[in-house]
């Protein structure tokens, strides 16, 4: 068994300065450079409670085909409206019954809407059931 001293997630973008502007400016998340790695362009998104996700530059970036970041919100409708006001559209997926605003409501599961960052990585806002 692996004995980890710390665990974190990460994903790539082609431009971490633009990613920082989106995740901090558009989404309102706490984003900063990784101490000692500023020259390499690594940033981290603060998830709270001492947790973060690493975002690293990858010039030949290909967007993830899965959700890389989920933002739990109290009101998914308000979050979708805020995203729309910021010019961030929701994504649509076959097999999900999404309303006119792109919100899917599962049987007893969370209400969720997906959107992409400027690089095509999929994120979501979700309201827990």
């Amino acid at each position: 068994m692996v004995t980890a001293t710390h665990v974190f997630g990460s994903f790539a973008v082609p431009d971490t300065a633009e990613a920082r502007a989106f995740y901090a400016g558009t989404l309102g998340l706490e984003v900063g450079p990784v101490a000692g790695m500023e020259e390499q362009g690594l940033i981290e998104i603060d998830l709270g409670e001492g947790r973060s996700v690493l975002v690293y530059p990858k010039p030949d970036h290909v967007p993830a085909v899965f959700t890389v970041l989920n933002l739990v919100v109290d009101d998914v409708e308000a979050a979708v409206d805020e995203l729309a006001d910021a010019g961030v559209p929701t994504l649509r997926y076959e097999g999900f019954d999404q309303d006119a605003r792109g919100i899917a409501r599962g049987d007893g599961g969370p209400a969720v809407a997906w959107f992409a960052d400027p690089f095509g990585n999929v994120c979501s806002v979700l309201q827990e059931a």
Side-chain angles (χ1 to χ4, degrees):
M1 180 176 271
V2 175
T3 303
T5 60
H6 183 74
V7 178
F8 65 93
S10 65
F11 62 91
V13 297
D15 182 338
T16 54
E18 187 177 348
R20 185 175 186 170
F22 177 77
Y23 286 99
T26 303
L27 299 183
L29 302 173
E30 293 292 326
V31 181
V34 175
M37 302 297 282
E38 294 87 354
E39 287 187 31
Q40 290 81 7
L42 277 72
I43 61 174
E44 59 185 351
I45 300 170
D46 184 355
L47 303 177
E49 300 175 358
R51 297 172 293 156
S52 64
V53 63
L54 175 72
V55 181
Y56 59 93
K58 188 170 188 289
D60 60 345
H61 170 263
V62 175
V65 295
F66 50 86
T67 307
V68 299
L69 194 65
N70 297 286
L71 288 77
V72 178
V73 297
D74 291 330
D75 184 342
V76 72
E77 289 89 359
V80 167
D81 290 344
E82 290 173 16
L83 289 168
D85 289 346
V88 180
T90 55
L91 301 173
R92 304 220 172 244
Y93 292 106
E94 285 188 37
F96 287 93
D97 185 20
Q98 292 172 270
D99 66 19
R101 293 156 75 186
I103 301 169
R105 291 169 171 53
D107 294 327
V112 60
W114 296 273
F115 61 96
D117 73 6
F119 318 105
N121 292 316
V122 177
C123 302
S124 80
V125 286
L126 64 92
Q127 180 178 338
E128 294 177 322

